[in-house]
Amino acid sequence: MSVTITPKPSLAHDFRPDLRRKAEEFEAAFLSEMLGHAGLDAASGPFGGGIGEQQFASFLRDEQATGMVRSGGIGLAEQFYRSLTKGMDDGL
């Protein structure tokens, strides 16, 4: 019995990995901002808050957003990538 693995459509025509990387970075930046506006950086508890936490909360949000994108994200990176590469595969 032979098993054929078909690549995801988003990776089938990934002839511009640099554009895909930038699209993913843009999605991560967007998600980081949304997490901040959702109150993810709000401190709670007796050890929360302070100037140190305010200084470094954005780093944590950025890493969480990057992790979300690595796990599939919300689809923005794929839409950006498709928009950026639209018509490029016609010439190949």
Side-chain angles (χ1 to χ4, degrees):
M1 180 175 175
S2 175
V3 176
T4 304
I5 299 175
T6 306
K8 293 181 357 184
S10 62
L11 299 178
H13 295 93
D14 195 2
F15 52 90
R16 293 294 308 266
D18 54 333
L19 288 180
R20 180 168 299 283
R21 189 171 39 256
K22 288 299 178 186
E24 289 172 350
E25 288 174 11
F26 187 75
E27 181 178 2
F30 174 80
L31 288 173
S32 178
E33 282 298 311
M34 293 301 103
L35 291 172
H37 288 288
L40 188 68
D41 58 351
S44 62
F47 297 104
I51 190 72
E53 185 172 349
Q54 291 172 1
Q55 298 267 329
F56 292 100
S58 66
F59 293 118
L60 177 60
R61 273 196 330 271
D62 291 345
E63 287 302 312
Q64 289 169 329
T66 300
M68 291 170 69
V69 171
R70 283 189 197 129
S71 298
I74 59 173
L76 280 178
E78 183 61 29
Q79 293 300 317
F80 292 140
Y81 179 76
R82 286 182 184 179
S83 294
L84 291 169
T85 59
K86 190 174 190 172
M88 289 179 127
D89 58 351
D90 295 340
L92 294 177

